[in-house]
Amino acid sequence: MDALRSLNIYLRPYKWRFLFGGMLMVISNLLIILPIPYIGRTINIIKEILSQFEKGLIPYALNKDIIQYGSIIITVPIVGGIIRYYMRQLIITTSRMIEFDMKNEIYAHYQKLSPAFYKKNSTGDLINRFTEDVSLVRQYLGPGIMYLVNLFILTCFVILQMLRIDPTLTFYVLLPIPLLFISIYYLSSTINKKSQEVQTHQSLISSFIQDAFSGIHILKSFVVETYFQKNHEEITRIYQKKNLQLVIFSTLLSSIIILLTGTSQLLILYIGGKRYFEGMVKDIGTLAEFFIYINVLIWPFITLGWVVSTIQRAKVSQKRINAFLKENPDIINQSGKCSKIQGKITFKNVSLVYANTGIQALKELSFTIEKGKTLAIIGATGSGKSTIVQLIPRLYDPTEGEIFIDDRPLKELHLYDLRKNIGYVPQESFLFSDSIHNNIALGAMPKTLEKVIDAAKKAEIEEDILSFRNGYETILGERGVTLSGGQKQRISIARALIKNPQILIFDDSLSAIDQQTKQSIRHHLQNDTKDRTTIIITHEISYVKDADIIIVLEKGKIIEQGDHQSLITQKGHYLQWHYEQLEKKNWLDKVFFRGK
């Protein structure tokens, strides 16, 4: 139960609500028990009336008692039902409040975790723990605890009442109860194991569906819908099988509970009837009371099977939630002071090994880019270009060496201020399922339409936006699927520019844009980035000719460094790429423009 003990922190703020709900529970159960003796008395009176009628007498006094007892039998349960309604409302509502708190804490914790964490865990599993697992924990905190405590209170009241009437008959009636708890003890461990299998496999299904829907255009392009449909059927069939196994054991427990409570009723009939005829039970109303007491317990005992299953599933769910909550972020804000960023960047012998793969992405990189200058990084695919720019906003920390911003160690800068002053356009242009306006305005606080329009103009995307029916309020599909690659890249550029950052990073972010539009964007950027440090990653040497520093990477190492002219005179890799791209351009000109 260690996993469930961790929930105490969520219960404490609502302890008075639970306490008041518990008080109402005690009162409502008292009101359930209170009319039962009057039912027994009423049965005895009816028996006496019938015997007097047989003698030719009219028992007026007895009729008066029936009216009085009948009023109690009818009125008290109504009052108890009203109290029970407010008790359930109080406890169930509180469980919803705790669910709200838990989801907010989990989401906030997810936000703190570094990208390395998300590379190790599937999105579907993360969503499943955030939704399904939290929902199962809420069921335990609400109806689960309510039914369990209600059963305990009601059982105590019933046993006390039965002991008051006939201790010997009570002993026989309660004989099956130890068997019930032994069954619960042995079956609960199996239910726990089966619950864990079900919830683990549910995460696999969530991940599968999330991947399939995110890449639906790929599925359709490669005509593999049938293949994925078969895979989905297979994993859901396994999930169905595991769920059925769980249901079998849960149903078995419920059946044992019904069997044992039924056995108690048979014992009342046999032992109680025997004692009645022997004169040890004074009247038939006493036996009726015992039957009613056991019937009162039947439904709470039936729910006990569901409660045991809920507790076991909640324990598994909370264990899964705790596993993620105990994950510590790799990137920690070590400064409590706000940091003013100018834009000078220095790398000193920086190396990085990815922890999840063990691949060394960078090896002893050293370079400096002054404030307001432009750095261009080129190199083959997988040479470590993107890794460099992910280190600057501290999406990762280097394994060795140190990075400085304005001659201050990067780790000593306030993380929020650092990232606020960086406009990052990643290689993959991710857009949210929201309006174009909100996607561009993501980095602007407060966001205004004027700022959004200005950024869109600089990114050469305003004309495209205005061509849409709803303009800036056009809602994009998931990941911006309704836009072309070039449109997504330009919206991403606008989103970076609107921040008005001191450092601008473009990670191959013009690859899907035509040459004419590229030239227009470059023109805007040249005017807009005069006082900003700019880092450009690209495969096009024509785009980096004007850069103050050019770095050529190969397998995570800097093999050449300098400006365009100095790298040409070195006659190395940069010159070779320059000629290859120049020859390719000349060949294309001859093929496509020779007749013009």
Side-chain angles (χ1 to χ4, degrees):
M1 298 292 283
D2 288 341
L4 296 180
R5 285 196 193 99
S6 64
L7 293 170
N8 290 340
I9 191 171
Y10 300 105
L11 294 172
R12 286 189 197 114
Y14 305 102
K15 59 185 177 182
W16 295 111
R17 291 179 66 89
F18 277 114
L19 183 62
F20 188 57
M23 291 170 59
L24 292 179
M25 196 181 298
V26 170
I27 295 168
S28 68
N29 282 316
L30 276 172
L31 294 176
I32 289 173
I33 298 298
L34 186 62
I36 294 175
Y38 293 97
I39 296 174
R41 294 176 194 175
T42 303
I43 291 172
N44 290 330
I45 292 172
I46 291 172
K47 182 186 175 186
E48 184 65 26
I49 290 172
L50 291 173
S51 66
Q52 291 196 21
F53 266 123
E54 288 174 2
K55 296 174 184 178
L57 301 173
I58 302 175
Y60 295 105
L62 294 177
N63 287 337
K64 182 180 178 183
D65 288 337
I66 287 179
I67 294 170
Q68 182 182 348
Y69 295 160
S71 300
I72 294 171
I73 292 166
I74 293 170
T75 307
V76 171
I78 293 172
V79 176
I82 294 170
I83 292 173
R84 184 167 290 269
Y85 168 80
Y86 285 106
M87 175 269 292
R88 291 177 63 89
Q89 284 291 311
L90 194 62
I91 293 174
I92 302 300
T93 302
T94 304
S95 73
R96 290 290 183 184
M97 292 176 178
I98 293 173
E99 181 185 26
F100 174 81
D101 294 341
M102 286 186 70
K103 285 191 172 183
N104 278 304
E105 183 185 352
I106 294 168
Y107 183 78
H109 187 71
Y110 278 177
Q111 296 280 76
K112 294 174 186 174
L113 296 172
S114 57
F117 168 82
Y118 292 95
K119 286 187 176 181
K120 291 187 294 183
N121 297 282
S122 68
T123 304
D125 187 33
L126 294 175
I127 293 171
N128 199 58
R129 297 188 194 218
F130 185 76
T131 53
E132 184 68 18
D133 285 337
V134 173
S135 178
L136 288 169
V137 171
R138 184 205 63 78
Q139 287 181 24
Y140 158 72
L141 291 171
I145 289 178
M146 182 183 70
Y147 286 141
L148 192 62
V149 174
N150 183 71
L151 174 62
F152 175 76
I153 294 170
L154 190 57
T155 303
C156 289
F157 286 160
V158 166
I159 291 173
L160 287 173
Q161 282 292 92
M162 288 194 300
L163 285 171
R164 182 184 61 82
I165 299 168
D166 191 329
T168 304
L169 185 55
T170 302
F171 169 76
Y172 285 107
V173 170
L174 297 180
L175 269 180
I177 300 300
L179 293 174
L180 174 62
F181 288 113
I182 291 169
S183 303
I184 291 170
Y185 176 79
Y186 283 105
L187 285 174
S188 61
S189 59
T190 306
I191 292 171
N192 180 281
K193 182 182 176 183
K194 296 299 178 184
S195 297
Q196 192 162 0
E197 290 176 0
V198 166
Q199 283 156 258
T200 300
H201 206 76
Q202 188 168 5
S203 292
L204 293 176
I205 293 175
S206 298
S207 298
F208 179 87
I209 293 171
Q210 196 268 337
D211 287 342
F213 290 165
S214 295
I216 192 66
H217 57 291
I218 301 295
L219 267 65
K220 291 184 178 296
S221 299
F222 285 83
V223 199
V224 290
E225 297 97 328
T226 305
Y227 172 75
F228 269 74
Q229 177 66 31
K230 287 180 179 177
N231 284 349
H232 179 262
E233 287 177 3
E234 182 61 30
I235 61 174
T236 49
R237 188 177 291 111
I238 295 170
Y239 177 69
Q240 180 193 45
K241 182 180 177 181
K242 292 183 180 298
N243 245 318
L244 288 174
Q245 290 173 350
L246 175 61
V247 169
I248 287 169
F249 285 99
S250 299
T251 306
L252 178 61
L253 181 58
S254 298
S255 300
I256 290 171
I257 291 168
I258 294 170
L259 174 65
L260 293 175
T261 52
T263 304
S264 292
Q265 290 183 321
L266 285 174
L267 287 170
I268 294 172
L269 189 62
Y270 176 71
I271 303 295
K274 188 177 179 183
R275 287 172 62 80
Y276 175 72
F277 287 116
E278 290 174 354
M280 294 179 180
V281 174
K282 60 182 180 180
D283 50 51
I284 198 72
T286 301
L287 293 181
E289 280 189 56
F290 266 85
F291 271 109
I292 295 169
Y293 285 132
I294 290 300
N295 284 327
V296 162
L297 289 177
I298 286 177
W299 170 247
F301 269 112
I302 289 173
T303 61
L304 185 60
W306 179 85
V307 169
V308 170
S309 177
T310 299
I311 290 172
Q312 296 305 325
R313 298 190 74 177
K315 185 160 63 171
V316 173
S317 292
Q318 191 58 37
K319 199 172 181 181
R320 284 158 50 85
I321 292 168
N322 287 345
F324 278 174
L325 289 177
K326 288 176 183 176
E327 287 273 353
N328 294 318
D330 299 330
I331 310 300
I332 300 172
N333 190 13
Q334 298 177 356
S335 172
K337 298 179 181 178
C338 293
S339 311
K340 189 176 181 181
I341 307 296
Q342 298 296 325
K344 180 183 177 182
I345 303 170
T346 304
F347 275 55
K348 285 190 178 180
N349 300 317
V350 171
S351 298
L352 176 68
V353 177
Y354 284 117
N356 61 318
T357 60
I359 296 173
Q360 183 157 19
L362 301 176
K363 301 175 185 176
E364 298 180 349
L365 263 64
S366 295
F367 63 86
T368 299
I369 174 172
E370 298 292 336
K371 174 186 179 297
K373 301 297 182 180
T374 299
L375 167 70
I377 306 172
I378 64 172
T381 301
S383 58
K385 303 185 298 296
S386 295
T387 303
I388 291 176
V389 295
Q390 287 175 348
L391 288 173
I392 295 170
R394 285 194 71 197
L395 298 179
Y396 298 92
D397 277 337
T399 311
E400 296 177 9
E402 198 161 9
I403 302 171
F404 298 85
I405 300 287
D406 302 331
D407 299 320
R408 288 176 292 172
L410 189 63
K411 290 183 179 179
E412 293 181 9
L413 298 177
H414 193 277
L415 195 58
Y416 175 81
D417 290 324
L418 171 68
R419 292 175 178 172
K420 187 180 178 182
N421 280 278
I422 295 175
Y424 180 34
V425 187
Q427 195 169 8
E428 181 186 354
S429 302
F430 183 93
L431 299 178
F432 294 93
S433 302
D434 201 344
S435 66
I436 293 175
H437 174 277
N438 288 342
N439 267 282
I440 295 175
L442 191 66
M445 293 297 170
K447 54 186 178 183
T448 62
L449 183 59
E450 291 75 16
K451 287 183 180 179
V452 170
I453 292 172
D454 183 58
K457 287 178 178 177
K458 291 175 181 176
E460 290 292 324
I461 188 63
E462 191 195 32
E463 187 176 335
D464 293 46
I465 294 171
L466 295 178
S467 68
F468 299 140
R469 180 182 297 175
N470 297 319
Y472 283 92
E473 296 306 316
T474 301
I475 301 297
L476 305 179
E478 186 174 2
R479 294 174 179 263
V481 71
T482 51
L483 301 178
S484 68
Q487 288 171 329
K488 287 193 283 188
Q489 282 190 337
R490 281 177 283 162
I491 288 176
S492 295
I493 291 169
R495 184 166 61 195
L497 292 175
I498 201 172
K499 290 178 71 175
N500 195 28
Q502 291 300 114
I503 300 171
L504 268 171
I505 298 173
F506 299 95
D507 186 357
D508 201 15
S509 51
L510 299 173
S511 57
I513 302 173
D514 63 85
Q515 289 296 328
Q516 184 177 350
T517 306
K518 278 183 188 178
Q519 292 300 326
S520 299
I521 294 173
R522 285 176 64 183
H523 173 73
H524 286 303
L525 291 178
Q526 284 174 353
N527 296 328
D528 207 53
T529 60
K530 288 179 180 177
D531 298 321
R532 298 176 187 172
T533 305
T534 307
I535 300 174
I536 299 168
I537 294 175
T538 183
H539 293 282
E540 297 183 44
I541 289 180
S542 59
Y543 190 60
V544 303
K545 284 183 179 180
D546 299 327
D548 299 291
I549 305 171
I550 302 171
I551 290 174
V552 182
L553 284 182
E554 186 177 87
K555 295 180 180 179
K557 281 188 171 184
I558 296 176
I559 55 174
E560 293 177 19
Q561 182 175 336
D563 60 14
H564 173 73
Q565 196 56 48
S566 66
L567 290 175
I568 290 292
T569 57
Q570 288 180 30
K571 298 182 179 180
H573 287 79
Y574 182 83
L575 180 62
Q576 182 182 346
W577 284 331
H578 178 67
Y579 279 134
E580 284 176 357
Q581 290 193 15
L582 194 63
E583 288 175 7
K584 182 180 179 181
K585 182 178 182 301
N586 290 337
W587 180 82
L588 288 171
D589 286 346
K590 287 178 183 178
V591 171
F592 292 102
F593 301 104
R594 59 189 175 186
K596 296 183 180 181

